[in-house]
Amino acid sequence: MRGRPFMRTIKWKPMDPSLLRALLLALFFLAGALAGHLCAVSWDVSAQNAMSGYLADYCSVYDMGGVTVSLGSCIALYFSYVTLAFLLGFASVGIVLIPLVSGIFGFLTMYTISGFVCCFGRPGVVLAMGALVVRLLFTLPCFFAMAGAAWPLSTELSTLSFGHGRRSAPVLYGSRYFLIFGLCVVILAVGVFCERLLTPLLFRMALESAAL
């Protein structure tokens, strides 16, 4: 009895589209993060001095027990990316803009972290984490969940807009799409509360640890 060749016994399964989209969005985020780091380390002396002065004032305000971010600014920082991804799910241009938003998110995040490092050296990593860790714990998962749900819908709209899907069924926005957005809103609202409560404490602890 002849056995089948080994390679014929291997069945290659196609990659889950949702996983592929998540990987692509993560790659855009990482590409933006790399660009943010390169932009921060390319500062000239005058720009670095100006940023060092700004961050020193930022640190001193927290050191005195103040809170620099207003409630309105905090809400904008938490909800902007998720809300934008949600709205882009209703536009054909979202096929391009959703990955771009992911890249911008990565750019600004790493630009901030690299700014602390360029100004304060290794202690800057601790300071950056004290300032950003709470926000990123809430905003990153919510953004990728919302963007992952919005991107295929905007892709379908783009296909219809360019005439390749005239005979296709219309794009349907099921309850799952709105449920994801609603859950993100609840989670981010909790995140805003935690930001106001915990970030000043964490940042003052980071200042003490960095001994600036």
Side-chain angles (χ1 to χ4, degrees), residues 28-106:
F28 278 103
F29 181 89
L30 293 175
L34 177 60
H37 172 71
L38 294 176
C39 186
V41 299
S42 65
W43 290 339
D44 56 22
V45 175
S46 60
Q48 186 168 350
N49 290 337
M51 181 59 71
S52 296
Y54 170 78
L55 291 178
D57 293 340
Y58 181 89
C59 294
S60 65
V61 171
Y62 267 102
D63 195 30
M64 292 184 295
V67 177
T68 59
V69 181
S70 66
L71 179 60
S73 298
C74 190
I75 291 174
L77 287 170
Y78 268 73
F79 285 88
S80 56
Y81 292 108
V82 168
T83 303
L84 188 55
F86 172 74
L87 294 176
L88 287 173
F90 295 96
S92 59
V93 73
I95 189 175
V96 175
L97 291 186
I98 289 174
L100 180 61
V101 170
S102 183
I104 293 173
F105 194 176

